[in-house]
Amino acid sequence: CHPLLLVVCFSQADEPVCRHRGDSENPQLSKNGDIILGGIFSLHSSWKTRQERYMHKPLPLQCTSLNFRDFQFAQAMLFAIEEINNSTDLLPGVSLGYKIYDSCGSIPRGVKVALALANGNEEVFVSSEEQCIQRAQVQTIMGETSSSPCMAIATVIGPFHLPLISHFATCACLSDKVKYPSFLRTIPSDYYQSRALAQLVRYFGWTWVGAVRTNDDYGNNGMATFIETAEQLGICLEYSVAVFRTDPPEKIRQIIDIIRDSTSKVIVAFVSHMDMDVLIHQLSYHNMTGYQWVGSEGWIFDSKTAAMDTHHILDGAIGLSIPEAYVSGMKEFMLDVKPLNSSGNELFTEFWEGLFNCKFNQSNLSVGNEKVCTGDEDITEIHNSFTDMSLMPIFNNVYKGVYAVAHALHNILGCNETCDSKRPLDPLRILQQIRQINFKTKEGDEVYFNENGDPAAKYEIINWQPTQNGIVDFVTVGLYDASLLADRQLILENKTLIWAQNSMQVPLSVCSEECPLGTRKVLQKGKPVCCYDCIRCAEGEFSNITDSITCERCPSEFWSNEKRDACVKKETEFLSYEEIMGSLLTGASLFGTCMTCLVACIFFRYRKTPIVRANNAELSFLLLFSLTLCFLCSLTFIGQPSQWSCMLRHTAFGITFVLCISCVLGKTIVVLMAFRATLPGSNVMKWFGPVQQRLSVVGFTLIQVLICILWLTISPPFAFKNFKQFNNKIIIECALGSAIGFWAVLGYIGLLALLCFVLAFLARKLPDNFNEAKFITFSMLIFCAVWITFIPAYVSSPGKFSVAVEIFAILASSFGLLICIFVPKCYIILLKPERNTKKNMMGKGPTKTT
Ligand SMILES: *[C@@H]1O[C@H](CO)[C@@H](O)[C@H](O)[C@H]1NC(C)=O
Ligand SMILES: *[C@@H]1O[C@H](CO)[C@@H](O)[C@H](O)[C@H]1NC(C)=O
Ligand SMILES: *[C@@H]1O[C@H](CO)[C@@H](O)[C@H](O)[C@H]1NC(C)=O
């Protein structure tokens, strides 16, 4: 027996030797021929669900909802067969026959009729010698329309290499030639369509969409690929729901609720037209307009669906359709339904009654206000989905499929003028031939199958544009060609698009508005990546693109502006002459300089007077000179620091101050010595005469000069940009280079000042009518106080203030010295000249100098 036959063999000769299990099935449409082609179409689109208890034999499937679409597909197949039979070029002398079954869109029934096609289903009576030997009935099967039945059928007939050529099963899963080796199709795989839809959605900037799919292989696989591609393109799904036409009403209502509660305005529907019809009904009932629909080829170019949409739910829909096609003569052939009626079986009575909306046998009905069928109804007078030719591209697919088989047979039979019909035909050879076929139909369509048994993927993008009379016009607005480079696949022509609710504006469907410049995205917890908040960039950061994920840091010399969308150069800060603090300090320093000069002039003018002579005129002038330098050296601290000014300021300060203190120290020692010199028997003055005084001043100063030279050569101070202290400004300051150098200079000054203070302190009580030691003590006290308070203030003041503090300390200590040491003398010189006598100087105490 043939491997596909499920037979029970009997021994009695008169009984049928071979009998099928199950009931025999007769094709709904058939015609004899030399070679028979099978066809499986869903002439009904649904069936009654029954709970089987298996108490008795289950009844055959009860099909419902006559489906004129698949009648059209069957007609298209018949047209192609007749055209081939008429032709003298293709298969001359060979007649093609057909057997067409109705699968009702049911998978089990599809498998059953596929087996019937493969094996023949009539009861076979054979003589006892020739037992159950029967050849395969059909050479190829055309169909089915939907993906799920195709998968089942292809699984069953695949091992026997019986080709199955579908015109409308688009599931990408069917491209798997390991699972479905004998499956071929004339419609592109959803692998391309899902991607194209995702690109279309991205093109219009919809990143927040809902998804509805048919709950079968077509919808589930198509949607899975769509979601995968959409994620890559940055599109987020708010929800994804599955619907099937046999679902109970509660389930459909749940779906409606989900859609109503959603915030996305775009719905991507990967559904078949049968499921869309169910959905539209419910959507209309709930008055759910205003959604932008994006559709797969399953319903988007179905004029029946458009006609059902009386509430204009789907107006403005956009989606992919199979490119327009036209096959001459097909429309006329299809509408000529007379030959179909002649077959006279039950199905065609139903078909005829459905088509013309009449009844043949009125007596069976109690209420009969319907028309009575005459059998001579005129098809030109009716308009329904059977007379609608909008699915011509799919009819063309059926047509191409039949021609592919015919071309393959033509090659196998070696047809030239005649065909060698003796040659054996087996499905495997036919399958191999079909897969290699490459021809053009009479309309110029190229037909071939790639290694997956799929044709080239080309789609038209169509837009549902409502017209005045309420009928929707499917306007082609673009093309999608998967064979082109990625960026050129999707092309939208410059045509006006009409969107949901007749809007001319592209609808917006995003979860969050795009983040403006100067902000960055922060994802919302637990929500998809398309939902985010926009957070302003922090100070010192910027973002100059919209929808930025991060804020960039400005380079170190820059800082972000107020809007945070660019970086601006940081302002630099240093103590300048222009600003108030700088100019005040400059003024103070110049004032000090002038005052010192004035004092010097007074001393010079009165240089002959005892008070000047008594107070060691040489040291006094040197002290005044060094004080002038001290006041002036504070100016080096003001202005933008540079390499030279940084090196100059500390060393100049250190040296002039040491010069200054050494003069004071010299004065103090002189006072001490002078007192000792008056004691009997001592001649100390010769130990500390003018020469020694000069030498000591020079010596003390040289030590500081040496410290400064060491500092400058080993690690000199340098100008330096401080980015750390403040974020938004650069402080230009002098780095110390070596802190040890700085503190050594300062420490040496401190040491001398301390020594001076101690000596002056010792000398303060000595009898002297003009006790210089007292003033020196006082001035040193001020000096030390100023510099001791300087240290913590200097360390803790930021930026330019530390410089100001230093200048202040320099000025304060200089003024201290100037005022304490010189002002009392000037007072006597100018205002009390009567006290400026040698007698007065000598009178009270033995102050004596050269
Ligand atoms: C086939 O030939 C017959 C007879 O010539 C004609 O009536 C019929 O229309 C033709 N069919 C097709 C599909 O060309
Ligand atoms: C449906 O919606 C339209 C516009 O949104 C409104 O005019 C109409 O009254 C609604 N119909 C029902 C039944 O709610
Ligand atoms: C077909 O016929 C032509 C002549 O009519 C002949 O030259 C050719 O060889 C034939 N081809 C085959 C495959 O028989």
Side-chain angles (χ1 to χ4, degrees), residues 371-386:
K371 287 186 293 177
V372 176
C373 296
T374 60
D376 292 321
E377 279 79 8
D378 187 0
I379 194 136
T380 56
E381 284 168 13
I382 55 160
H383 290 285
N384 61 17
S385 60
F386 187 78

Side-chain angles (χ1 to χ4, degrees), residues 147 319 342 594 635 817:
S147 295
S342 62
C594 294
L635 292 180
L817 287 179

Side-chain angles (χ1 to χ4, degrees), residues 146-426:
S146 319
S147 295
S148 291
C150 275
M151 288 164 73
I153 296 167
T155 308
V156 171
I157 65 174
F160 311 106
H161 320 298
L162 191 59
L164 177 70
I165 305 178
S166 175
H167 52 279
F168 206 36
T170 54
C171 179
C173 50
L174 285 162
S175 294
D176 184 348
K177 288 301 98 139
V178 177
K179 275 186 179 161
Y180 313 108
S182 71
F183 180 80
L184 301 159
R185 57 183 153 194
T186 46
I187 190 157
S189 159
D190 282 341
Y191 175 84
Y192 303 103
Q193 184 180 197
S194 299
R195 261 147 237 266
L197 273 182
Q199 286 182 26
L200 193 66
V201 168
R202 180 71 246 188
Y203 181 88
F204 292 111
W206 302 318
T207 54
W208 186 235
V209 300
V212 182
R213 63 182 192 274
T214 295
N215 196 6
D216 65 3
D217 295 292
Y218 167 70
N220 292 337
N221 284 289
M223 188 52 76
T225 313
F226 172 81
I227 291 173
E228 192 183 299
T229 316
E231 267 171 16
Q232 286 163 8
L233 296 177
I235 299 162
C236 298
L237 243 61
E238 186 178 12
Y239 56 86
S240 175
V241 288
V243 60
F244 199 68
R245 49 194 175 275
T246 54
D247 281 344
E250 307 88 69
K251 180 139 188 258
I252 303 214
R253 213 163 302 128
Q254 276 174 9
I255 291 169
I256 301 283
D257 287 342
I258 290 173
I259 296 177
R260 206 204 325 256
D261 295 343
S262 67
T263 56
S264 52
K265 286 279 154 240
V266 172
I267 302 174
V268 178
F270 222 103
V271 292
S272 69
H273 67 93
M274 295 168 280
D275 303 302
M276 197 65 196
D277 294 348
V278 173
L279 211 54
I280 288 183
H281 191 77
Q282 285 296 319
L283 289 166
S284 307
Y285 181 76
H286 290 96
N287 202 8
M288 288 174 60
T289 52
Y291 290 94
Q292 173 63 45
W293 290 83
V294 180
S296 63
E297 99 296 342
W299 61 273
I300 197 79
F301 69 119
D302 196 307
S303 51
K304 184 171 156 232
T305 304
M308 280 187 65
D309 181 25
T310 48
H311 284 67
H312 299 277
I313 304 279
L314 301 177
D315 279 7
I318 192 166
L320 300 177
S321 82
I322 307 300
E324 298 247 18
Y326 175 74
V327 185
S328 60
M330 189 182 275
K331 184 179 178 187
E332 293 72 26
F333 179 89
M334 271 190 187
L335 294 181
D336 184 14
V337 286
K338 285 267 164 53
L340 289 178
N341 193 27
S342 62
S343 57
N345 69 28
E346 217 175 294
L347 176 71
F348 282 96
T349 313
E350 190 189 346
F351 167 68
W352 196 270
E353 287 177 348
L355 190 58
F356 296 107
N357 204 10
C358 62
K359 286 276 176 221
F360 274 112
N361 204 345
Q362 201 75 24
S363 60
N364 283 358
L365 296 157
S366 45
V367 278
N369 38 10
E370 273 174 291
K371 287 186 293 177
V372 176
C373 296
T374 60
D376 292 321
E377 279 79 8
D378 187 0
I379 194 136
T380 56
E381 284 168 13
I382 55 160
H383 290 285
N384 61 17
S385 60
F386 187 78
T387 60
D388 168 46
M389 290 294 140
S390 64
L391 291 193
M392 191 57 104
I394 311 299
F395 308 157
N396 187 32
N397 285 344
V398 179
Y399 179 82
K400 287 195 280 195
V402 176
Y403 263 82
V405 177
H407 277 275
L409 291 171
H410 186 88
N411 292 347
I412 292 168
L413 297 179
C415 299
N416 206 337
E417 257 112 62
T418 56
C419 294
D420 178 8
S421 44
K422 293 266 167 3
R423 290 200 191 177
L425 282 176
D426 81 292

Side-chain angles (χ1 to χ4, degrees), residues 702-806:
L702 269 183
I703 293 174
Q704 182 75 314
V705 170
L706 205 68
I707 295 174
C708 287
I709 287 173
L710 280 178
W711 184 14
L712 290 187
T713 47
I714 293 172
S715 173
F718 54 91
F720 148 82
K721 288 176 174 172
N722 184 345
F723 300 114
K724 293 218 181 84
Q725 191 102 42
F726 295 104
N727 283 327
N728 55 349
K729 50 189 174 187
I730 305 173
I731 301 167
I732 304 182
E733 58 185 23
C734 284
L736 294 177
S738 157
I740 296 173
F742 176 70
W743 292 112
V745 166
L746 223 57
Y748 182 62
I749 296 171
L751 193 73
L752 286 186
L754 203 66
L755 185 64
C756 195
F757 173 66
V758 170
L759 291 181
F761 187 76
L762 289 179
R764 80 192 187 285
K765 288 271 175 61
L766 294 182
D768 186 351
N769 71 327
F770 184 78
N771 196 344
E772 195 162 32
K774 212 181 275 173
F775 295 116
I776 291 175
T777 313
F778 196 56
S779 72
M780 281 302 118
L781 204 61
I782 292 176
F783 186 91
C784 292
V786 166
W787 284 99
I788 285 168
T789 48
F790 157 77
I791 292 170
Y794 176 80
V795 171
S796 63
S797 308
K800 64 180 179 186
F801 293 101
S802 75
V803 178
V805 165
E806 198 169 350

